[in-house]
Amino acid sequence: MPVPLAPRVTLGCEEQSQLESIVRAHSPPQALSFRCRLLLRTAAPDRPSNLQVAQELHCNRHTVGRWRSRYLAQGLGGLQDAPRPGRPRRFSPLSASGCDVDGNA
């Protein structure tokens, strides 16, 4: 059975420069930087398959397919982490250290 071709990803000049700047930045979350590198590679002129991109970036081909699809459906906003299911946090990160706001235990 033939392997279906992955949907084509085309980036505008502005989108490509945004993705490249995120990859070059010193402080973006590592996951976001990886997704941007992945997307830049999928949009390359040689139109690599999900398997080729996965082998180059040392990840699973399903991961490549997921982020490619999310970008095509939601644009650059689709590369951000989605909210996690479940109960919201009960403590803010500042109060989770065991001390109250004044620093008392």
Side-chain angles (χ1 to χ4, degrees), residues 31-32 35 66-67 70 79-89:
L32 179 62
R35 293 170 197 154
R66 175 183 305 123
W67 291 111
R70 276 186 62 175
L79 299 180
Q80 298 293 330
D81 281 331
R84 300 286 183 223
R87 181 175 165 187
R89 293 183 181 188

Side-chain angles (χ1 to χ4, degrees), residues 34 37 51-61 63-64:
F34 171 77
R37 281 186 294 142
L51 183 59
Q52 288 173 312
V53 176
Q55 289 173 342
E56 291 174 19
L57 297 179
H58 307 288
C59 66
N60 192 299
R61 67 184 173 90
T63 303
V64 177

Side-chain angles (χ1 to χ4, degrees), residues 88-99:
R89 293 183 181 188
R90 293 182 63 190
F91 300 102
S92 69
L94 295 176
S95 65
S97 64
C99 299

Side-chain angles (χ1 to χ4, degrees), residues 6-58:
R8 182 177 213 141
V9 175
T10 54
L11 298 173
C13 291
E14 185 175 321
E15 289 176 325
Q16 183 164 351
S17 65
Q18 280 183 305
L19 292 171
E20 289 171 350
S21 68
I22 292 171
V23 170
R24 284 191 312 264
H26 294 286
S27 63
Q30 184 177 3
L32 179 62
S33 179
F34 171 77
R35 293 170 197 154
C36 292
R37 281 186 294 142
L38 184 147
L39 194 57
L40 286 167
R41 182 62 186 114
T42 60
D46 62 340
R47 293 194 61 202
S49 68
N50 289 347
L51 183 59
Q52 288 173 312
V53 176
Q55 289 173 342
E56 291 174 19
L57 297 179
H58 307 288

